[in-house]
């Protein structure tokens, strides 16, 4: 499929250079430049969509972040909460890494790192993309997102 270039345990991300043409095509079909706008700088209450490999899942982003410690990390990170009803659509095992975007503005809020299901509702916890992109740019000099804002712009 590809090989690992760099990763972060505390923010639960990895950059993988994908070499498998089938995987590249699948990802390109699911997530395009048109499906994601700029990067949101703050979490806020909003209608949002998780872009998974099995389709888009509508839900609501909570305006209140929570603190979470990801496995194998010794620090707590501020994460957002994405809520969706499981009767019509559902996050599944393997959806970690799915982008969560604003339904109206297409701003990228973050990516799914964990989930919890209670009855007919699922809460997914998302690592904020703005924090991750700043870390990648600061530590590795890479600008991963073409319309990324920098220095609070």
């Amino acid at each position: 499929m590809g090989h690992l270039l760099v990763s972060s345990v505390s923010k639960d991300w990895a950059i993988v250079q994908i070499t498998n043409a089938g995987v590249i095509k699948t990802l390109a079909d699911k997530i395009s430049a048109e499906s994601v706008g700029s990067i949101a700088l703050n979490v806020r209450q909003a209608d949002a969509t998780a872009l998974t490999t099995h389709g888009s899942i509508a839900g609501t982003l909570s305006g209140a972040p929570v603190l979470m410690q990801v496995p194998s990390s010794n620090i707590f990170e501020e994460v957002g909460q994405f809520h969706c009803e499981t009767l019509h659509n559902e996050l599944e095992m393997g959806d970690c890494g799915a982008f969560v975007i604003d339904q109206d503005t297409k701003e990228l809020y973050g990516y799914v790192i964990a989930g919890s299901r209670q009855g007919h509702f699922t809460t997914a916890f998302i690592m904020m993309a703005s924090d991750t992109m700043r870390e990648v740019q600061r530590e590795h000099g890479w600008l991963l997102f073409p319309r990324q804002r920098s220095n609070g712009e």
Side-chain angles (χ1 to χ4, degrees):
M1 180 167 95
H3 64 277
L4 178 67
L5 297 178
V6 293
S7 64
S8 168
V9 171
S10 66
K11 293 206 184 308
D12 197 19
W13 61 260
I15 297 176
V16 176
Q17 182 176 13
I18 299 171
T19 55
N20 181 293
V23 173
I24 292 170
K25 180 173 178 5
T26 298
L27 290 173
D29 289 346
K30 296 292 180 186
I31 301 172
S32 68
E34 293 77 38
S35 64
V36 179
S38 61
I39 295 175
L41 298 177
N42 301 335
V43 65
R44 63 180 177 269
Q45 181 81 28
D47 290 331
T49 302
L51 303 176
T52 72
T53 56
H54 55 89
S56 297
I57 298 176
T60 305
L61 189 66
S62 171
V66 296
L67 292 175
M68 176 180 274
Q69 184 178 22
V70 299
S72 304
S73 177
N74 59 355
I75 62 173
F76 285 84
E77 294 286 346
E78 197 171 87
V79 298
Q81 299 175 79
F82 173 75
H83 307 283
C84 62
E85 192 173 350
T86 59
L87 293 175
H88 306 290
N89 50 31
E90 186 171 356
L91 288 167
E92 299 175 359
M93 293 289 287
D95 282 342
C96 284
F99 284 178
V100 175
I101 64 169
D102 188 284
Q103 284 183 7
D104 296 324
T105 67
K106 305 300 185 215
E107 281 183 299
L108 173 63
Y109 288 112
Y111 52 94
V112 175
I113 60 166
S116 173
R117 186 175 182 180
Q118 291 187 337
H120 294 293
F121 293 92
T122 297
T123 298
F125 298 96
I126 63 166
M127 188 66 65
M128 297 308 295
S130 57
D131 296 340
T132 299
M133 297 301 175
R134 274 193 294 271
E135 179 180 313
V136 169
Q137 188 173 11
R138 181 183 66 245
E139 294 185 17
H140 304 287
W142 297 342
L143 185 64
L144 299 178
F145 203 78
R147 288 170 275 185
Q148 179 177 340
R149 299 175 185 165
S150 60
N151 299 328
E153 295 175 358

